[in-house]
Amino acid sequence: MKIQLIAAALSLSLAACTNTQLNEQVNTSAPEKVQGAVATNAQATDIITLEQVMADPDWFGRAPESWYWGDDSNTVYYQQKQLGNPLRDLYSLDLSNSNETAQVALANKHKVADKSALFNQARTHKVYTFNGDVFVKTLATSTVKQLTFTSSTERKALFLTNGDIAYQVGNVFYAHNLQTGQIKELASLKMSAKPAGVTEPKSYLAKEQHKLIDYIALGHRNSKLEQSKQQRLAAENASVNDSKFYFGKDNRIAHTSLSPAGDKLLVSITSAKSSRDKTDIMPNYITKDGVIAAEKVRARVANNRQYQEQLFILDLVTGTQQALSYSSLPGFDEDVLASVKAENYAREGKKYQSEKNARNIHVLQMYNPIKWSNDGQYLAVMLEAWDNKTRWLTTVDFDDNKLMTQHKLGDEAWINWSFNEFGWVNIDDKASLYYLSEETGYSHLYLKGLNTKAVKLTAGKFEVSNVTPTKDNQRFIFKANKKHPGIYEIYQVDLAKKLTALTDLGGKNSYAISPDESKLLIEHSTVTMPPELYVKTLESIKGTDAAKRITHTVSKAFLAMPWAAPTVVAIPSSKQKEPIYSKVYLPKNFDKTATKNRAVMFTHGAGYLQNSHLGWSGYFREYMFHSMLVQQGYVVIDMDYRASAGYGRDWRTAIYRHMGKPEVEDMRDGVNWLIENANVDADRIGTYGGSYGGFLTLMSLFTDPDLFASGAAIRLVSDWAYYNHGYTSNILNTPEDDAIAYERSSPIYFAEGLNKPLLINAPMVDDNVFFEDTVRLVQRLIELEKENFETAIYPVEPHGFVQPSSWLDEYRRIYKLFENTL
C-alpha cells in the first residue's frame, strides 16, 4: 500500500459557480525556467489575510471529483462537495445539450453508478455493484436490472465467458445464470482445517472401547455408512455441489481473483496474526463521552513482523487446490541486504556471513495486482519481496502449476510503489502483456509476448503513467511529463513507437477516454487555477478543435484576489548534474538593487511528492499563504528536493539509507540561489513544512544550524523507527537490519545542534505521524536544556488538519515566528 506523509485533508474540495476564467499563460520554450499562470486580476485590490486563507475552502470553490463518462460518450458524471459539509452529490453534464447540468436524484443513482463496471464479451452489457448489490445494464436500451437485493455485500462482479455473472459475498463465490435465474456456488473458502470425517480409533482406550461396547461400534459403523453415501451422492448426482476449500485456522485471505472462464480461482493466504501490538495505541483526549479513548493504530517499523503470502490455484471443475512455489522466481533466495548487514555487523565488531535463504514474497500492494486475460486462459500476478528490492511480473503455467517470470525489476534501493501498472492485450491474436518499468531510470511502457522479448514503446527523460490500451489493442494512451518535469499532458503511442501528443494545455492533466474512444475527458489545472473539467475531441489532435472547458466551479471571490504567480526555476545543484526544480515567489515590482529581502522556504511533505509543477497544488492553503507573504515583501521558495516525485528513479532513491542529508544539501543550494538571484539577506531566511517537511525543518536546523534564522516543524517525524513499515522500510530497510540508517536519518539524534528559534506544531490524534514523535523530541530538547523552542498542540486534529480554527491558529504562529525572527 502506498504510504504517504502528506496530509489527507489537503485533498481538493473546491467550488461555487462562475463563468469567469483566468487569462492563463505558460512559457514552455525554456526547460530551465517556466513561468506560472498569471493569477492577478487587474481590478483586485483586496489585502490577503490569514483569516481568509485558512477559512473553510468552500469559499473559493468545490471542484469536480470522481468524474467519468456516461455510456453514450456525450454525458459526463462527476461528484461535487456540498456547501458547508463533507457530503457529495452526483451530477450529470450533457455535452450534446449546451453542457446542461443536473443533479442525479438519489432514487436514480443506482442507474449511473457504473464508473467501474465490467463488460461482457460482446460489450452489449455491463455489470457493476451499487450499495452492495449487483446490477446489469443493457447498453442498447440503457435499461438497468437489479440482480441481487440482499443485506449481504456483493462485490467483484464480472461477466463470465459463458454469459453468467459472478460475484463474491464474504469468502464465497457465486455464478448467476441470467436466463434461468439459477445461482451456483463456485467456491467457499474456509479459514479452518479440512474436517477429518469418520476416522478409525487410534489410542489403546479407543480401540478397546470399540471392541467391548457394541453401542460404540454400531454408531461408528453407521457414521461410516452415512459418509460413504454422501460421497457417492456427490459423485453421482450433478445437483449436489461441494465447493469448500480449506486453508487453516490461523490464516486469512489476502487476495482472490476469479477467472472470467469461471473454472479457476487464485487465492493468496497469509497469517492471521496482526502486525500491530497491543501497545500500538493513541490516546484521544477530546471524546464525545468525556473519557480518554485508547485508539488502536498501526505498528511501528521497529517491531513490524516480516510479511509473506502463499499462492494457491483452485480448480473449480475438479475441486482441487495447488500451491504455487516461489522457487522458480529468479533471485527468490538472494541475500539482497548482505552489504547492509555487513556494515551494521562491523560497527558492533562482528562479521556477517551471507547465506541464501528464501525471501518473504507477497502479492504487490497496488490496485488490481492480479489480472486474467479476457478469455480467462492466462493469468498474470505482480509479486514483490518483503525487503522491497525486487518486483516480479509473473504468469501461471496451469499445466505444471508453476510461476513463470515475464519481467524482473530489481533495485538496490527500493522498488517504487508507483509505476507498477500492467495488463493484457491481444496482438495478432496472441496474448501479450504491457507494463511499466523504471529499469532505465524513468517509468516507461513495455510490451511483451509470453515467449518473446519485451519491446520498449516509450523512451526519454520523462515518466509515463495512467496507461489505457485502445479497444483495437493498437495504441496506448497515457499521461507523461515529456515537455517539462512539471507539465503533464496526455499522449498516445502505437505499436510502431510513434508518439503523439493528444493535449497541449500546460499545467497538470488527468484523463478518461470516452466509451467510443472519440473524446478525452480531462481534469486540467494550473498553478493558480483549481481543477476544472475539459473535453477534447480526438479526431482533430492538432486542428482547431481545442479542449473545451465544461465546468466552472471557482468563485468570483477567489478570482478577484491578488494571488502571486510563482515561477518554476531550475536551480543548479552543487552535488549532482540535474537541477532542483523550485517554485519562486517574488514581491511585486521586485528590484535587485533595493533593500535586501527576507525569505521563507517551504518544504513539501510526503518526501516522494512533486510540488514544483505547473498544476494546482494539494497545498492550496500554503499557496495562498505564500501569496500573502509576497504581498508583504517576502520572497518564497518551494523546492522539489531530491526524493521528490516526477524526476526519475535516481532522484527518488538519492535518500536511500540517509534521509535528510541530500535534501538539506538541496535546501542550501536553494538558499544560496536566493541570496545570489533574489536579493535576499542571508540572515533573514526562515523555513517551515509539515510531515516530511517538518522532518526536514528539524534536520536543517539541527545538522546545518547556520542555514536558517528560524523554522516551524509541523506534524513532524523525529525518529523514523516509530513510523510505519510500508513507507520507511523502503528507504531505510528495518532497524533490525540497518540501525545505522535510522540513527543518521532521525532528527532526535541531532537535537543538540539546535541554536535557532524552532516552533513545533503537533496534532494529538495523528494516526500517521504519532504525537509520540513530538513528545519524545520535546523531552530530548528539555534534557539538552534548549531554550529556543516552543510547542503548540492541537487536541482534536489528525495528520491533516480539518478545523479552520486550527489551521488559523497554526499559521498565525508560523507567521508570528517569521515576523519576529526575520
Side-chain angles (χ1 to χ4, degrees):
M1 181 174 68
K2 179 179 175 181
I3 309 295
Q4 287 192 343
L5 299 179
I6 186 171
L10 295 179
S11 60
L12 301 180
S13 53
L14 326 166
C17 290
T18 174
N19 288 323
T20 307
Q21 189 169 1
L22 297 182
N23 175 26
E24 299 161 352
Q25 298 177 347
V26 180
N27 173 16
T28 60
S29 57
E32 70 281 357
K33 185 174 181 179
V34 179
Q35 179 65 43
V38 178
T40 53
N41 185 300
Q43 298 178 349
T45 57
D46 291 351
I47 300 298
I48 303 173
T49 66
L50 276 176
E51 288 76 10
Q52 181 76 76
V53 168
M54 300 300 158
D56 187 319
D58 278 1
W59 77 268
F60 67 81
R62 292 163 291 133
E65 304 171 353
S66 302
W67 34 270
Y68 61 100
W69 282 104
D71 300 318
D72 61 0
S73 297
N74 274 312
T75 306
V76 170
Y77 293 95
Y78 63 89
Q79 289 188 353
Q80 189 175 39
K81 179 183 174 296
Q82 292 182 4
L83 184 66
N85 69 66
L87 300 181
R88 265 68 177 167
D89 294 317
L90 182 65
Y91 290 87
S92 66
L93 189 152
D94 189 349
L95 299 177
S96 62
N97 189 19
S98 302
N99 296 343
E100 181 179 340
T101 304
Q103 184 176 337
V104 177
L106 293 178
N108 296 325
K109 199 169 182 180
H110 66 284
K111 298 179 181 180
V112 296
D114 53 354
K115 179 181 180 181
S116 302
L118 297 178
F119 291 89
N120 63 348
Q121 294 281 303
R123 298 186 73 87
T124 58
H125 296 73
K126 56 197 226 180
V127 63
Y128 58 95
T129 59
F130 171 75
N131 202 36
D133 284 304
V134 180
F135 293 79
V136 179
K137 180 180 286 188
T138 303
L139 296 179
T141 60
S142 295
T143 56
V144 175
K145 178 181 179 181
Q146 185 169 356
L147 202 62
T148 65
F149 205 120
T150 73
S151 60
S152 300
T153 299
E154 285 86 32
R155 59 193 181 97
K156 292 188 177 181
L158 75 154
F159 272 102
L160 299 180
T161 54
N162 65 1
D164 289 354
I165 286 176
Y167 51 84
Q168 183 177 350
V169 180
N171 290 333
V172 183
F173 293 78
Y174 298 96
H176 193 133
N177 188 298
L178 295 179
Q179 277 66 49
T180 66
Q182 183 188 67
I183 298 175
K184 178 183 178 181
E185 185 174 289
L186 297 175
S188 178
L189 312 182
K190 301 293 185 181
M191 296 298 104
S192 62
K194 185 174 183 178
V198 182
T199 59
E200 297 300 319
K202 294 181 180 180
S203 69
Y204 172 80
L205 292 178
K207 290 177 182 178
E208 291 302 298
Q209 190 79 328
H210 280 250
K211 183 188 303 181
L212 297 172
I213 307 298
D214 288 342
Y215 172 78
I216 297 297
L218 181 62
H220 182 66
R221 184 205 67 172
N222 292 341
S223 296
K224 289 173 65 177
L225 289 172
E226 180 62 28
Q227 177 176 276
S228 177
K229 177 185 175 182
Q230 291 299 323
Q231 290 172 345
R232 292 199 314 273
L233 179 64
E236 299 173 18
N237 192 316
S239 70
V240 178
N241 180 26
D242 184 6
S243 59
K244 300 182 183 67
F245 295 87
Y246 298 90
F247 296 97
K249 65 175 183 178
D250 295 324
N251 293 319
R252 65 174 177 84
I253 296 172
H255 301 274
T256 60
S257 185
L258 177 66
S259 165
D263 61 341
K264 295 182 179 66
L265 180 68
L266 180 79
V267 180
S268 176
I269 302 297
T270 190
S271 170
K273 183 179 179 181
S274 174
S275 62
R276 63 176 303 278
D277 188 83
K278 63 181 180 180
T279 60
D280 292 325
I281 59 171
M282 176 183 67
N284 185 356
Y285 291 92
I286 309 296
T287 59
K288 60 184 178 181
D289 55 9
V291 299
I292 299 173
E295 310 282 0
K296 294 181 179 180
V297 290
R298 57 153 174 85
R300 296 158 176 82
V301 65
N303 57 22
N304 192 269
R305 64 179 177 83
Q306 296 204 17
Y307 180 74
Q308 62 179 334
E309 296 172 14
Q310 174 64 63
L311 298 181
F312 291 89
I313 289 291
L314 311 188
D315 190 318
L316 305 185
V317 177
T318 64
T320 58
Q321 64 188 64
Q322 178 70 46
L324 295 175
S325 172
Y326 295 132
S327 61
S328 63
L329 304 180
F332 85 99
D333 60 352
E334 184 181 357
D335 187 2
V336 294
L337 287 172
S339 62
V340 169
K341 292 177 180 178
E343 182 183 346
N344 279 268
Y345 270 55
R347 188 176 70 159
E348 303 297 325
K350 304 174 184 177
K351 185 176 181 180
Y352 176 72
Q353 184 64 45
S354 179
E355 295 180 356
K356 285 195 171 186
N357 287 295
R359 296 156 75 183
N360 290 305
I361 297 172
H362 58 268
V363 176
L364 185 67
Q365 300 297 312
M366 60 175 283
Y367 174 72
N368 201 4
I370 305 167
K371 293 185 178 179
W372 295 86
S373 60
N374 287 336
D375 59 7
Q377 299 304 302
Y378 300 97
L379 172 61
V381 186
M382 188 74 84
L383 301 169
E384 69 173 340
W386 183 84
D387 52 52
N388 314 303
K389 301 291 189 289
T390 312
R391 181 196 83 179
W392 296 271
L393 176 56
T394 66
T395 54
V396 178
D397 181 340
F398 294 114
D399 292 331
D400 294 333
N401 289 305
K402 182 179 180 182
L403 288 170
M404 307 295 293
T405 300
Q406 299 297 333
H407 179 255
K408 175 191 174 186
L409 179 63
D411 197 309
E412 63 182 11
W414 74 93
I415 299 295
N416 200 343
W417 45 74
S418 299
F419 308 130
N420 294 307
E421 299 170 49
F422 71 99
W424 290 99
V425 289
N426 284 324
I427 306 297
D428 298 327
D429 293 325
K430 294 182 180 179
S432 297
L433 285 165
Y434 69 87
Y435 61 89
L436 296 180
S437 173
E438 274 189 318
E439 61 198 68
T440 62
Y442 291 84
S443 170
H444 282 293
L445 179 62
Y446 295 79
L447 182 64
K448 184 185 185 303
L450 296 184
N451 299 305
T452 62
K453 291 185 177 180
V455 176
K456 187 179 181 184
L457 296 180
T458 62
K461 293 175 65 174
F462 60 91
E463 296 185 330
V464 172
S465 64
N466 300 105
V467 180
T468 304
T470 55
K471 286 183 284 191
D472 62 7
N473 292 325
Q474 298 300 302
R475 295 169 293 136
F476 296 90
I477 298 175
F478 57 88
K479 180 172 72 174
N481 54 350
K482 183 177 184 296
K483 62 183 176 184
H484 182 275
I487 297 175
Y488 289 82
E489 302 284 3
I490 313 306
Y491 298 85
Q492 74 174 22
V493 66
D494 61 22
L495 300 185
K497 304 182 184 180
K498 180 183 178 183
L499 187 67
T500 306
L502 301 182
T503 64
D504 189 21
L505 290 167
K508 289 190 71 176
N509 302 283
S510 297
Y511 78 98
I513 190 168
S514 63
D516 64 4
E517 299 188 341
S518 67
K519 306 180 188 75
L520 291 179
L521 176 61
I522 303 163
E523 181 188 80
H524 169 68
S525 70
T526 66
V527 173
T528 57
M529 188 67 174
E532 298 284 8
L533 295 182
Y534 289 67
V535 169
K536 169 68 185 282
T537 300
L538 292 179
E539 292 177 358
S540 178
I541 296 171
K542 292 294 184 180
T544 58
D545 189 11
K548 296 179 181 179
R549 181 174 172 181
I550 62 172
T551 62
H552 299 80
T553 61
V554 180
S555 71
K556 292 181 180 179
F558 176 84
L559 296 173
M561 294 295 289
W563 306 120
T567 298
V568 175
V569 178
I571 293 178
S573 169
S574 62
K575 301 300 180 181
Q576 32 81 55
K577 64 179 181 179
E578 297 297 332
I580 311 157
Y581 285 88
S582 308
K583 285 180 181 174
V584 177
Y585 299 74
L586 296 175
K588 188 176 181 180
N589 302 321
F590 171 71
D591 185 355
K592 284 189 176 183
T593 64
T595 304
K596 287 189 176 297
N597 297 302
R598 49 186 176 171
V600 167
M601 177 179 289
F602 169 68
T603 307
H604 69 69
Y608 190 63
L609 175 144
Q610 186 177 21
N611 205 42
S612 293
H613 52 70
L614 274 294
W616 184 250
S617 172
Y619 290 102
F620 55 86
R621 290 182 181 86
E622 285 73 8
Y623 161 68
M624 293 188 285
F625 176 54
H626 298 162
S627 293
M628 188 196 84
L629 292 178
V630 167
Q631 196 177 61
Q632 298 182 24
Y634 285 82
V635 173
V636 180
I637 187 171
D638 173 359
M639 305 190 76
D640 276 345
Y641 48 81
R642 275 175 286 174
S644 297
Y647 307 96
R649 179 265 172 198
D650 292 350
W651 197 263
R652 169 177 65 83
T653 62
I655 59 170
Y656 178 55
R657 301 191 65 222
H658 202 161
M659 300 165 79
K661 183 176 185 294
E663 306 96 304
V664 172
E665 292 173 345
D666 293 346
M667 293 165 76
R668 176 162 283 283
D669 285 338
V671 165
N672 291 338
W673 187 92
L674 290 176
I675 295 169
E676 296 170 8
N677 297 276
N679 194 33
V680 167
D681 187 339
D683 296 325
R684 301 175 69 200
I685 305 174
T687 187
Y688 84 103
S691 199
Y692 200 96
F695 153 70
L696 287 181
T697 297
L698 296 179
M699 286 298 273
S700 60
L701 292 180
F702 293 175
T703 66
D704 196 352
D706 296 328
L707 187 57
F708 296 109
S710 61
I714 310 167
R715 43 193 172 272
L716 55 90
V717 177
S718 66
D719 189 340
W720 286 108
Y722 287 75
Y723 198 56
N724 66 33
H725 172 83
Y727 180 91
T728 320
S729 65
N730 283 316
I731 305 169
L732 302 179
N733 303 308
T734 64
E736 181 182 7
D737 292 327
D738 201 357
I740 290 173
Y742 280 80
E743 292 167 17
R744 67 188 178 195
S745 300
S746 297
I748 197 167
Y749 291 94
F750 305 97
E752 66 274 8
L754 179 66
N755 60 22
K756 300 291 176 58
L758 167 65
L759 170 64
I760 297 172
N761 289 348
M764 294 184 68
V765 286
D766 188 342
D767 60 0
N768 186 352
V769 179
F770 297 153
F771 183 58
E772 183 179 16
D773 269 71
T774 293
V775 173
R776 293 180 69 242
L777 178 62
V778 166
Q779 181 60 28
R780 177 76 176 138
L781 292 171
I782 291 171
E783 292 176 0
L784 289 169
E785 300 181 358
K786 297 294 181 179
E787 300 179 87
N788 49 352
F789 75 95
E790 293 182 353
T791 306
I793 61 172
Y794 298 87
V796 302
E797 294 297 349
H799 191 64
F801 283 18
V802 176
Q803 303 302 318
S805 56
S806 298
W807 280 107
L808 179 60
D809 183 89
E810 178 178 53
Y811 275 78
R812 276 176 170 167
R813 294 174 188 275
I814 295 170
Y815 177 63
K816 181 179 179 181
L817 172 72
F818 293 147
E819 285 290 281
N820 290 341
T821 60
L822 305 183

